[in-house]
Each structure stands twice: as structure tokens, then as C-alpha cells.
Amino acid sequence: MTALSFLLGHTIIILQGTIHMSDWQLQLGEDDAYRSLQAAWERVMKALEERLNKPSFESWIRPTRPLALDGPVVRLGTPSRFAKHYVETRYLDTIRELLELELGQPVHVQFELVEANEPVLMTDRLPRKPVQRPPEDEDEPLSQPLNSRYTFENFVVGASNRLAHACAVSVAETPGKTYNPLFIYGGSGLGKTHLMQAIGHHIGDNEPHLRVLYVSGETFTYHYITALREHKTSQFRRKYRDVDVWLVDDIHFLVGKERTEEEFFHTYNALYDTGKQIVLTSDRAPKELDLDNRLLSRFECGMIADIKPPDLETRLAIIQSKAANENMTLPYEVMLYIASLITTNIRQIEGALIKLHAYASLMRTQITESLAQELLGNYFTPPSQAIVDAQKVQQQVARRFNLDVEDLKGPSRTKDIVVARQVAMYLMRQLTDWSLPAIGRAFGGRDHTTVLHACKCIAAKIALDKAFSNLVEDLAKEIRDGRNC
């Protein structure tokens, strides 16, 4: 069985609403499919226990139980509405992937609400009894659990995230004193959630008396809608405003939800006016969010830090770090292949490593570049842009300026050669993942400060000289398209 035939398959996820379970229990020994599911679920539980922090695992995963395996549909039961909602939004993809590996087939995952003391295998044709709501003093937890892996120690710092990391560390060390609010934005899977939860971990470890509340924009909306429906808005406001550090992930989820946005505005003001620390993340800068101007002005009064996609060297460092955490041994060519295949999403890198690790463990085989290509090539689309390297940039620039490539690498300080060299350095910085030191080495072993100076000079000249700006833009387009001048 090849890696592709083992893992391929189009998966559709079905999320069901609440169901009620019966009083009678079927004989589990008579159901081979269920026994297969139960054995697979036990192994999935062990894998999840290793990857999640203990509070998350005990709160959300351990109460989840296998109900039935109906062909390709895996039915799992959770004991509360919030647990069901949380597992669906946070762990669904991971659970599905692990179940597919254990069962050896594509599956649909269906979560159902069951009573905590119900038998594990039921049938909907039997008499039903209602799910009892817990009393008011046993409300479900407000704060979402923090992932134990999301700490500052496990965060790989590079040029693309250095500012956001420095601001997050400062906030964690002196909550409410600097950068309040702190607004971190960037594309999906670049580390925003990691930094936010690292703040929560650091404060929890060093200032345990402070009350930290971590929620996503989606969970805040869910809590507020539930409070409205159950006429508990006063309890909702009391809980949300009685905290010292408020961490809100994916704030862009509030866009278009006017009543939730209004409630968020008043909660924000109540905390900010009393000096409480607020940290927000979004996939867009504040000015790009279609939110009330009152909220946007408050976001912009604090510190705004963006996270960009990591360069090649940072991606390699991330892969090394995550592989070490999973006790994986990866050849350099495998790490380079993954770093070249996945260029804009760290979470996808983690998913690729999980797939490789799970397959290699189950098949008892070594991870090689050919295995990685076979296993990951169908899941991740390689960058469509033509590969840009130092040689291509140098050749195009030298041709345009009527020079030899060796002139760009050599020691000459004549004006024409210096300008051409600086343009080539600038374009390499813009079009490739190469770091400043790596670019310097490609130009005769020059120092990274020389490259930085070149980039600043060209950027300034572009801003002042329209003809020069057009020249550089044309060169960049030709290099990206792989055309000759």
C-alpha cells in the first residue's frame, strides 16, 4: 500500500446538533465495527494526550466517547454544548486525520451531545429522555484552555515576527503597563495565536493572582448569543469584566455582527478604563476591518504589530524546532522540501509533520524525501511563482545595466556598478526568502549591513525618481515571469 493510497480521499465533515440518547445499552461485543472504532479511539486518545496540555485534554478530549462507526461516519459523543462547540472548532481536523490513519480509510466525523452517564453505544430508534441542563452555579467554563506548546520558549523568532514577539514579551512581563492594547495581525497560521497564548502562559506562571481570560472572537459571540437567549446578560457582563488580562483571538470574526460588536465595545471600555491588559489578534490591520469607528480608534491607540510569512531560513528553524518537540529525526533534504513546499502557513507545516510522523510510525518506515513528496504533494500546493534565486536576479540586472555578473560580485566602486549591485540586492530582498547575510554572501561575501544600506538607498531613490521606479518594477516583473530583458 503506497502512502498516497493510504491517506488520499475527499473528506466531508458533518456537524450535527443536539440529540437525546436512550436508556438502554446494546451489547458492545456484538458490534465488530464498534470494537474497531473503540480500539482506534483509544490510540487517538493517547496521541492527543501527548500533544495537548493536561487541562485541555482533561476538559475537552477525555469526556468525548465513541458512539458508533456507520460505514464512513464516525459518531463521537460530548457531554456539554460548550465542549461540543469547542472540540468542533479546535480539534476536529486533528481528530479526523488521526482516525483516518488508525482506521485506514477516509471518514466523516459527527459530534453529538450526550449525557455524561449514558451508555456509550445507543440507537436512535429506542425511547429517548431529555438531556438535563446543569444548574446555574455549574456553568461551563468561560476561558478557553491554553495550548501547552504555545510558549515563548517554543516560538521561533525571525525577521518576519521580531517586532510582534518583542511586544508580546513586554506585555507578558508588565501587563497593563506597556502596549495596551496590543494588536497583532497577519495571515492565517503565522503565529498570532501562539504569541497570544504565550502571554497567557507567562502571566499565569509568574503572576498567578491575575485573572487571565482567553477567548476567540467566535467564542465571545457564542457566549453573548447564549446569554441573550437564556436572559443571562448580567452574568455574562460580570464574568467578562472581572478579569485582569483579556486575550481575544481572531477579532475579525465580529465583523457584521452589530449587537455583538456593541457588547464587545462596552466590555473593552470597562476593562481598558480600569487599566486591564488587552491583547487582540486579527487577520487584517485595524484600518482594514469593517468595524465601528469607535472600536477602530481604540485599537489604533495602542501598539500595532504585524507578522509576515517567514523567510526560508526561519521556516527551516521552525521545522527543526517542531520536529525536535515531536522527537522526529528528519534529513535536511526533507526539511528543505517542506520549507519550499509550504511558504506562508506555519500551521500547515505542523500538519505536514504530523502526517509524516503518523505514517512513518504506523508503517514502521524511515522518513525520506521521496516519501515526503509522495505523502505531502497531494495535500499542499507548491508555490506557483517561478523560483527566484540569486543567479537569476544577478543575470537579469547585469543584462539590463550592460554589465557582467562578476562585476556585481566584484570590488569595483564605480557609480554604475554600485547602483546595479544595489538594485540586485534590493530585488533579492524583495523577491526571495534570502536573509541579509545570505544575500551579502552571494555578492562576494559582503556584510549584511552593506545589503541593508543598499536596500535603503534603492527604496529612497524609487520614492523620488519615477523613471528609476519604473525600471526596478520592470526588472522585478521580468524576474518573476522568468523572461529575459
Side-chain angles (χ1 to χ4, degrees):
M1 180 181 297
T2 67
L4 284 178
S5 63
F6 183 83
L7 284 178
L8 291 185
H10 183 66
T11 301
I12 303 173
I13 300 166
I14 306 169
L15 303 180
Q16 288 289 99
T18 301
I19 69 165
H20 304 302
M21 309 306 291
S22 76
D23 290 321
W24 296 315
Q25 181 175 9
L26 297 179
Q27 296 299 318
L28 303 186
E30 298 176 0
D31 193 328
D32 292 337
Y34 178 77
R35 285 201 301 270
S36 174
L37 172 61
Q38 189 175 43
W41 181 247
E42 288 175 358
R43 293 191 292 271
V44 169
M45 289 269 284
K46 290 179 180 178
L48 292 172
E49 187 173 13
E50 293 176 358
R51 293 174 188 173
L52 305 180
N53 61 4
K54 187 173 181 179
S56 297
F57 180 81
E58 295 295 333
S59 297
W60 315 117
I61 302 302
R62 189 176 293 283
T64 302
R65 295 170 294 144
L67 299 178
L69 176 59
D70 301 327
V73 178
V74 173
R75 294 168 53 206
L76 300 176
T78 56
S80 70
R81 288 181 301 121
F82 187 74
K84 176 177 177 293
H85 170 79
Y86 192 78
V87 173
E88 287 174 350
T89 56
R90 289 286 174 174
Y91 304 126
L92 181 60
D93 290 342
T94 300
I95 289 173
R96 187 195 67 240
E97 289 177 0
L98 291 172
L99 281 170
E100 288 181 341
L101 289 170
E102 292 293 343
L103 295 171
Q105 67 179 53
V107 298
H108 314 311
V109 179
Q110 177 175 302
F111 285 99
E112 303 172 358
L113 186 59
V114 300
E115 291 189 23
N117 59 355
E118 279 292 319
V120 288
L121 187 61
M122 299 293 177
T123 175
D124 293 337
R125 295 191 298 270
L126 298 176
R128 305 167 182 269
K129 68 177 181 181
V131 174
Q132 299 296 321
R133 291 287 300 151
E136 186 172 329
D137 59 354
E138 295 181 10
D139 283 342
E140 294 159 344
L142 188 65
S143 182
Q144 297 174 221
L146 302 177
N147 190 318
S148 60
R149 293 177 298 169
Y150 289 169
T151 64
F152 288 123
E153 290 74 19
N154 292 335
F155 189 83
V156 178
V157 182
S160 60
N161 57 29
R162 197 177 306 279
L163 174 62
H165 174 265
C167 292
V169 171
S170 178
V171 164
E173 292 177 345
T174 56
K177 306 296 183 184
T178 59
Y179 307 137
N180 196 22
L182 171 61
F183 192 105
I184 302 174
Y185 74 93
S188 176
L190 295 181
K192 304 185 299 296
T193 297
H194 190 142
L195 281 180
M196 172 172 281
Q197 293 199 22
I199 294 172
H201 279 301
H202 186 90
I203 295 174
D205 292 341
N206 294 278
E207 300 188 61
H209 62 283
L210 295 181
R211 291 157 298 183
V212 178
L213 172 57
Y214 166 71
V215 293
S216 65
E218 181 181 9
T219 300
F220 179 86
T221 303
Y222 170 80
H223 285 163
Y224 180 57
I225 292 173
T226 301
L228 284 176
R229 185 175 65 247
E230 299 179 356
H231 306 290
K232 294 182 178 180
T233 53
S234 59
Q235 294 96 315
F236 169 89
R237 289 166 183 158
R238 184 184 70 250
K239 290 180 179 180
Y240 262 93
R241 300 177 190 186
D242 188 27
V243 298
D244 299 299
V245 180
W246 194 28
L247 311 174
V248 188
D249 210 358
D250 295 336
I251 196 69
H252 51 269
F253 191 82
L254 300 183
V255 172
K257 301 173 178 63
E258 294 183 4
R259 292 193 65 179
T260 305
E261 186 179 333
E262 180 74 17
E263 185 62 33
F264 184 91
F265 171 76
H266 293 299
T267 301
Y268 179 100
N269 283 343
L271 293 173
Y272 182 80
D273 292 344
T274 54
K276 309 303 184 183
Q277 178 67 54
I278 301 172
V279 183
L280 311 167
T281 72
S282 173
D283 62 356
R284 285 158 279 172
K287 64 182 180 181
E288 297 174 0
L289 293 171
D290 187 18
L291 293 173
D292 190 297
N293 287 331
R294 297 175 302 169
L295 263 181
L296 296 181
S297 66
R298 282 158 175 77
F299 295 167
E300 292 173 342
C301 76
M303 180 65 188
I304 301 174
D306 69 326
I307 299 181
K308 296 183 175 66
D311 57 28
L312 178 64
E313 291 175 332
T314 303
R315 294 200 301 276
L316 283 170
I318 290 169
I319 293 169
Q320 286 179 318
S321 173
K322 291 187 178 296
N325 290 338
E326 297 289 340
N327 295 318
M328 294 177 64
T329 301
L330 291 179
Y332 177 76
E333 57 269 20
V334 173
M335 293 191 290
L336 186 60
Y337 171 73
I338 297 173
S340 301
L341 180 67
I342 307 171
T343 60
T344 60
N345 193 309
I346 297 170
R347 194 174 295 121
Q348 287 184 346
I349 290 177
E350 188 174 67
L353 292 176
I354 290 174
K355 285 181 173 65
L356 282 176
H357 186 45
Y359 183 85
S361 298
L362 289 169
M363 297 293 104
R364 302 183 185 278
T365 185
Q366 296 292 320
I367 298 175
T368 63
E369 184 177 7
S370 60
L371 174 64
Q373 291 172 348
E374 183 183 7
L375 199 59
L376 304 178
N378 194 69
Y379 282 93
F380 304 101
T381 304
S384 58
Q385 180 175 310
I387 297 175
V388 177
D389 56 21
Q391 185 178 17
K392 181 179 293 186
V393 173
Q394 290 168 343
Q395 288 174 346
Q396 293 287 68
V397 172
R399 188 178 292 113
R400 175 61 69 94
F401 283 85
N402 295 316
L403 300 170
D404 293 328
V405 171
E406 292 305 315
D407 293 331
L408 302 180
K409 299 179 180 180
S412 175
R413 298 290 302 165
T414 60
K415 182 177 179 181
D416 289 346
I417 293 177
V418 168
V419 171
R421 185 184 298 131
Q422 289 181 336
V423 168
M425 290 179 174
Y426 174 84
L427 288 172
M428 279 194 65
R429 186 63 173 161
Q430 296 297 312
L431 301 178
T432 75
D433 289 335
W434 287 42
S435 64
L436 294 175
I439 295 173
R441 289 193 294 271
F443 287 85
R446 286 176 164 79
D447 189 79
H448 75 279
T449 57
T450 302
V451 180
L452 184 61
H453 173 72
C455 294
K456 290 181 178 178
C457 287
I458 297 303
K461 191 170 177 63
I462 287 173
L464 297 174
D465 188 335
K466 181 64 175 176
F468 185 78
S469 174
N470 291 337
L471 168 68
V472 175
E473 185 176 341
D474 288 345
L475 264 172
K477 189 173 188 306
E478 290 164 355
I479 293 169
R480 282 194 298 264
D481 294 344
R483 295 186 288 109
N484 292 331
C485 299

